[in-house]
Every structure is written in structure tokens, then in C-alpha cells.
Amino acid sequence: MTNIGFIGGGKMAEAIIKGLLDSGCVAAADVHVAEIRRERRQQLAAACRVGVYADNSEVAGLHPDVLVLAVKPQDLANAVNGLVVHGRSLVISIAAGLTLATLEKAFPQNAVIRAMPNNPALVKAGVTALAPGRKVKPDQLELAKKIFGSVGGVVTVDEKLMDAVTGLSGSGPAYVYLMIEGLTRAGVKLGLENKTAEHLAVETVFGAAKTLKESGRGARELREMVTSPGGTTIEGLKVLEKKGFIPALLDAVKAAAEKSKKLSQ
């Protein structure tokens, strides 16, 4: 990859840019961002030293090897209206709900990939699902994996599963943040200072996730290791089971996935 262009310069675009620069995948001089907000252009130029432009066509006109559509779904039509993209450019969309069919219709000459990164990409701890279009070649898919690998893990899925991905990993961080809020409030209610309670909650979630990722053990096995018969944990788990903790998560993921499906229509 010699150069990469971004249509849209929001927080996720910035996270990807910083990941690419930090990993050495690309030089700042070879990154070009089109962003309509002047203040945001100034911020990106100062923080990342990349080229910034007010007009989307200026970036497309540079014939980037990769063009990332980092705009909201409702803004895509205006963003690509009249946009001429070189046929060799790989087009990657991170807009939720936009189907490959929509992208291929908008860019008939290009290979397109639908991507769903998530919020932890902001700290290089995200996970991105990629759904490649019909024209995507193996080397182009590997290039996309390299781009999003700079901000976390990457998986490849069939497009029909992207709504499930959106409901699980795309929206999932919000469920975890809500759980941390709840744990913090519980700690405060039991007498802990808010700062202490939040620190305990954050480190507990982080440690549990790290243990699951690195120990080679499954979630159920690790849960059973913590749950001693007649101990404290089992009492808490009984309450969660009674309140429908797992069913609530299932319903939350399903609702988010269904919303993603509606957006694509």
C-alpha cells in the first residue's frame, strides 16, 4: 500500500489513521482525508500530520490504493454523489448497515469491502469484521486485514452475518460499559467511593477478559473456577440468573442486529 484516502475524518477514521501510522504501515504523507468541518481538518492535520481536504473529489482524484468511506450511512449518498473513483482503488466502507450491493452499485468499477470495526479501536483494542465483495482479490483482502489489524483483531465473515456482528461486537462495548456503570453504582451503594468503585469495576472486567483471551480456557470453565460451592459468587450468580441476565443480553444483541438489518434496507 502506497497511499490511502478517507472520506470522512471522524473519531474512527482518526483511530485507523493513528493505528496505521504507529504500525508503520503507511507514512503520514501518503494519508489523505476529506472532511467538511474546517475545525476537524485542523485537528487531524495537527494530530496526525496527514493531508486534509474540504472536497471529497480531491481525495478521490489522488487515486488512492484504498479509499475508506468513514461517513454515517445517511450521509453516504451526498458523500459519493458525482465522486469519480479510479478503478484500481479498493473501496472499504465502515458505515453500519450499508450492504455490498449498495456499495457495488455506487462503485461498479471497484472492489468493495464492508467493514464493521468497534469502539475499542480507539485504543487499538478493537475487533473488525470484514465482508468482501465479489471483485475483491486475495491480496486486497489481506490489505484490508492489515489496515484494521493496526487497531485490533480482524475476522472475515459472510455478509449475511454482518448484522449479527453489528449486534454483538459493534454494539457490544456499550453493553460492557453499562455493566461497568452498574458494578460501580453497586460498589458506591455499599459504601465505596465512586472513583474506587469504578477502578475496581474496570480492572475486574479488563482482567476477566484478559484471562479468557490468554489462558486458553473457556468462559464457562473460568466462571466455574471462581464459583465455589456455598461461596459468595454463587449467590450473586443466582440473582443474575433469576433476573434474566443471559436472556437480556440475547435480546439486546438481537435487537441491535435487527436494527442493523433495517438500516440496510
Side-chain angles (χ1 to χ4, degrees):
M1 177 173 58
T2 57
N3 62 83
I4 182 169
F6 288 81
I7 304 298
K11 292 297 184 183
M12 186 58 71
E14 182 179 0
I16 297 169
I17 291 168
K18 287 182 175 178
L20 288 169
L21 296 178
D22 290 346
S23 65
C25 291
V26 66
D30 295 320
V31 180
H32 310 280
V33 186
E35 169 57 51
I36 61 174
R37 296 169 295 170
R38 181 180 179 182
E39 182 180 355
R40 186 62 182 151
R41 292 198 300 273
Q42 293 173 337
Q43 291 172 346
L44 287 170
C48 304
R49 305 293 181 183
V50 297
V52 293
Y53 309 80
D55 193 332
N56 295 339
S57 62
E58 290 187 82
V59 170
L62 295 172
H63 301 166
D65 297 301
V66 181
L67 184 65
V68 179
L69 304 178
V71 296
K72 296 178 180 179
Q74 61 268 29
D75 296 333
L76 179 70
N78 288 333
V80 303
N81 184 35
L83 197 66
V84 179
V85 180
H86 195 283
R88 70 174 176 80
S89 297
L90 170 64
V91 176
I92 302 176
S93 170
I94 64 172
L98 284 181
T99 65
L100 288 174
T102 298
L103 293 168
E104 289 174 342
K105 183 178 180 180
F107 304 97
Q109 304 301 318
N110 302 86
V112 300
I113 292 178
R114 182 178 170 186
M116 174 49 66
N118 66 357
N119 176 265
L122 298 176
V123 292
K124 299 185 181 67
V127 62
T128 301
L130 302 176
R134 295 172 297 170
K135 294 183 179 181
V136 175
K137 299 176 181 178
D139 62 325
Q140 291 176 314
L141 181 57
E142 288 305 310
L143 179 56
K145 290 180 179 178
K146 187 175 182 179
I147 292 170
F148 291 96
S150 71
V151 291
V154 181
V155 299
T156 303
V157 300
D158 189 278
E159 189 189 17
K160 65 183 180 182
L161 298 174
M162 285 297 277
D163 293 326
V165 168
T166 301
L168 176 57
S169 63
S171 300
Y175 314 150
V176 178
Y177 300 147
L178 181 61
M179 182 177 71
I180 291 173
E181 285 184 56
L183 289 172
T184 301
R185 288 172 59 185
V188 170
K189 192 172 182 179
L190 292 172
L192 292 170
E193 292 184 357
N194 187 83
K195 186 175 181 180
T196 301
E198 184 177 65
H199 178 70
L200 288 169
V202 170
E203 293 301 320
T204 296
V205 171
F206 175 79
K210 185 177 177 66
T211 303
L212 180 59
K213 184 175 181 179
E214 298 181 3
S215 69
R217 294 185 169 94
R220 180 172 183 172
E221 181 182 356
L222 289 170
R223 173 173 57 80
E224 291 175 345
M225 285 175 59
V226 181
T227 311
S228 303
T232 60
T233 304
I234 196 168
E235 293 303 313
L237 289 174
K238 285 179 181 178
V239 174
L240 291 177
E241 183 176 356
K242 183 178 180 180
K243 296 289 186 178
F245 184 65
I246 294 297
L249 285 175
L250 292 173
D251 288 345
V253 173
K254 181 180 178 181
E258 289 177 348
K259 180 64 175 182
S260 174
K261 186 175 182 180
K262 288 180 181 178
L263 287 174
S264 68
Q265 297 172 347

